[in-house]
Amino acid sequence: MHRKDAVRVLVVEDEYILALNLQENLESLGYIVVDIADSAEAAIEKATKLRPNLILMDIRLRGEMDGIQASEQIWHHLQIPVIYVTGHSDKRTVERATLTSPFGYILKPIKEQELYVTIQTALNRYDREQFLSSVLGGMGDGVIVVDLQLSIKYLNQVAEALTGWRWDEAKGRMLTEVIKLVDEETQIPVQNPIIAALQQETTIYLGSRVLLIARDGTTIPITDSATPVRKNSGVITGAVLVFHDNTQRRLTEEHNLADERAQQTEIRVAELQRLNQLKEDFLATTSHEMRTPLSNIKMAISALENLLDQQGILNSNPLSPSESVARYLSILRDQCEQELDLVTIYCIYECLMQMSIHWN
C-alpha cells in the first residue's frame, strides 16, 4: 500500500488558479505534486517523463484532446491510475469517463476530505489490481476474463502467446472472435466452456481432444476449464477461462503409449518364441516316437522274411499259400516305408516354416 508521503501526483488542470488550489490541498494532505499540466498533450508528456503514482485529470482541457483521451493513452502505455476531477457531471461525460475505467471521479468544487478518501481508495484499488495482475500474469496457464456479454475484460501474457492476440487488441472484443475452438478429429467448432459455465452457473471442463485456432491460423491442443465470476453477494458478473498448451502432455502420453506397445510386443514375441520352442520339442519327440515303432516294424518284417526264406517257404511253388505270405510282407514293408517318408517330409516342412518365421 502507498504511504501519503511517498505518493507522487501529477495535476492536469487548465485553470491555473484551480490547479494551484488543488496542489495546496494535496500537499496539505501529505502528497507530493510533481508538476502541473494544462493540456492533454502536456499531461502525456509529463506522465511519461516523471512517472507519477497518480494523476488528477480534468476532463475539459484546451487543445484537440480532452482528459478522457489522455487518460486512455496514459493507462495503455504507462499503467498509471487516473482520477477525474471535473465540474461536468452530465450523463454523456460520465458515460465516456466510465468506459476508461477510472480510479475515481471527483466533482468540483473539491472538498479536502473527499479528495483524501478518493485518492486512498484509488491507490488501494490500484495495488490490489496490480497484485492480481502480477499473479495472473505469472501463471503458467492462459487466463481470459469476460463479462456477461462475453466481452473480453482481461488477457494475461500466456493467453496472448497462445491466441496471438495482444491484450490491448483483444480488450472489448467478443470471446468467440479471440478464442476459436474445434474438435481435433472432426474439425467441427466446439462451444467455448465459458458459455456453458455462465448458463449452468458452475465450473465446466473442456474435452481432451480440442484444438485452439490461434490468430495466425495455427492450431494448438489445449485443455481448460471455465468458471463463473461472482460478487460477494453471489451475483454472477462474468466468467474466467483458464487454459494451457497440452502439446507436451500429448507427446508424453504418446511416448508412454509407444513404450507400452513395445513392451506388449516384446511379451508377445517372447510368448511366440516359447510356443515355437514347445512346438519344436513336441515335433522332435513325436518324430522320434513315430519313427521308433515304424523302424521296429520294418526290422521285424526283414527278420520274418529271412526266417521264411531259410525255411524255403518264400521260394516254394507260386500257387502255394506262401504266395500270400510274401505279398503281405511286401505290403507291410511298402506301407512302413511310406509312413517313414511322411514323417521325414513333415519334419522338413515344419523346419522350413520355422526358418521362414525367424527370417520375417
Side-chain angles (χ1 to χ4, degrees):
M1 182 180 295
H2 296 277
R3 295 184 306 163
K4 288 190 297 181
D5 58 355
V7 176
R8 303 167 64 251
V9 182
L10 173 65
V11 175
V12 184
E13 172 62 65
D14 59 358
E15 295 289 341
Y16 185 68
I17 301 299
L18 293 177
L20 289 179
N21 182 61
L22 184 55
Q23 180 179 2
E24 291 178 359
N25 288 335
L26 288 169
E27 291 176 345
S28 68
L29 291 170
Y31 303 113
I32 299 173
V33 177
V34 295
D35 207 342
I36 296 175
D38 60 0
S39 68
E41 292 79 8
I44 295 172
E45 179 183 352
K46 291 180 183 295
T48 302
K49 179 181 179 180
L50 301 173
R51 298 299 176 98
N53 303 116
L54 181 70
I55 298 175
L56 297 182
M57 178 79 70
D58 188 10
I59 293 180
R60 298 293 176 86
L61 298 169
R62 63 171 60 99
E64 296 182 358
M65 295 175 60
D66 63 9
I68 294 176
Q69 292 170 304
S71 296
E72 287 180 325
Q73 292 194 28
I74 290 171
W75 179 255
H76 175 68
H77 295 290
L78 305 174
Q79 296 288 295
I80 298 174
V82 174
I83 295 176
Y84 290 125
V85 179
T86 182
H88 301 277
S89 59
D90 59 280
K91 182 179 180 181
R92 183 174 180 277
T93 300
V94 173
E95 287 178 348
R96 284 188 61 222
T98 302
L99 291 176
T100 63
S101 300
F103 284 75
Y105 198 101
I106 303 176
L107 291 176
K108 299 175 182 179
I110 300 172
K111 298 178 182 180
E112 188 173 284
Q113 186 63 27
E114 180 183 358
L115 179 63
Y116 172 75
V117 171
T118 302
I119 289 177
Q120 290 304 117
T121 301
L123 293 175
N124 288 335
R125 171 189 161 188
Y126 178 75
D127 284 341
R128 289 195 302 270
E129 290 187 2
Q130 288 300 107
F131 173 75
L132 179 61
S133 178
S134 177
V135 171
L136 295 178
M139 290 179 61
D141 292 342
V143 178
I144 295 179
V145 181
V146 302
D147 60 17
L148 291 176
Q149 288 71 44
L150 301 181
S151 175
I152 292 180
K153 296 301 179 183
Y154 178 79
L155 198 76
N156 75 345
Q157 292 179 350
V158 176
E160 287 181 330
L162 293 177
T163 63
W165 287 86
R166 295 201 313 269
W167 158 229
D168 59 310
E169 297 174 319
K171 182 180 180 181
R173 293 180 180 270
M174 294 301 295
L175 174 70
T176 51
E177 184 179 357
V178 176
I179 300 293
K180 297 180 180 179
L181 306 175
V182 297
D183 183 270
E184 185 174 0
E185 295 182 358
T186 65
Q187 298 297 306
I188 297 175
V190 175
Q191 184 187 56
N192 195 295
I194 276 186
I195 298 175
L198 289 173
Q199 291 174 344
Q200 302 177 30
E201 300 185 0
T202 187
T203 300
I204 299 296
Y205 296 92
L206 192 65
S208 59
R209 293 293 175 179
V210 174
L211 299 177
L212 167 68
I213 302 179
R215 191 176 185 180
D216 61 2
T218 58
T219 57
I220 305 170
I222 64 168
T223 180
D224 65 9
S225 64
T227 189
V229 175
R230 303 174 186 269
K231 291 183 177 180
N232 292 336
S233 61
V235 176
I236 294 177
T237 59
V240 58
L241 176 70
V242 180
F243 62 102
H244 64 267
D245 187 346
N246 204 31
T247 302
Q248 188 58 46
R249 181 178 177 183
R250 291 278 191 87
L251 292 175
T252 301
E253 290 178 350
E254 291 175 0
H255 179 72
N256 292 338
L257 181 60
D259 287 344
E260 183 179 350
R261 288 176 176 172
Q263 292 176 359
Q264 292 176 350
T265 300
E266 290 178 0
I267 293 173
R268 286 197 294 267
V269 169
E271 182 65 16
L272 288 174
Q273 291 176 342
R274 187 182 71 84
L275 293 175
N276 286 334
Q277 185 61 48
L278 290 175
K279 185 177 181 180
E280 291 175 1
D281 295 342
F282 173 76
L283 289 175
T285 301
T286 302
S287 174
H288 174 74
E289 295 298 329
M290 291 178 67
R291 285 177 178 276
T292 299
L294 289 173
S295 297
N296 292 336
I297 292 173
K298 186 175 181 180
M299 291 176 59
I301 292 171
S302 298
L304 182 58
E305 283 181 325
N306 291 333
L307 179 61
L308 294 175
D309 184 57
Q310 291 175 3
Q311 296 179 0
I313 297 176
L314 293 181
N315 295 325
S316 61
N317 192 315
L319 298 178
S320 66
S322 62
E323 178 182 11
S324 297
V325 174
R327 185 159 60 89
Y328 293 148
L329 288 173
S330 177
I331 292 173
L332 288 172
R333 184 184 299 105
D334 291 342
Q335 293 299 312
C336 184
E337 290 178 353
Q338 286 184 21
E339 288 300 319
L340 287 171
D341 291 341
L342 286 175
V343 171
T344 301
I345 292 172
Y346 180 71
C347 290
I348 293 173
Y349 170 77
E350 287 297 332
C351 288
L352 292 174
M353 290 297 293
Q354 293 298 323
M355 292 173 64
S356 176
I357 292 173
H358 289 307
W359 288 339
N360 292 333

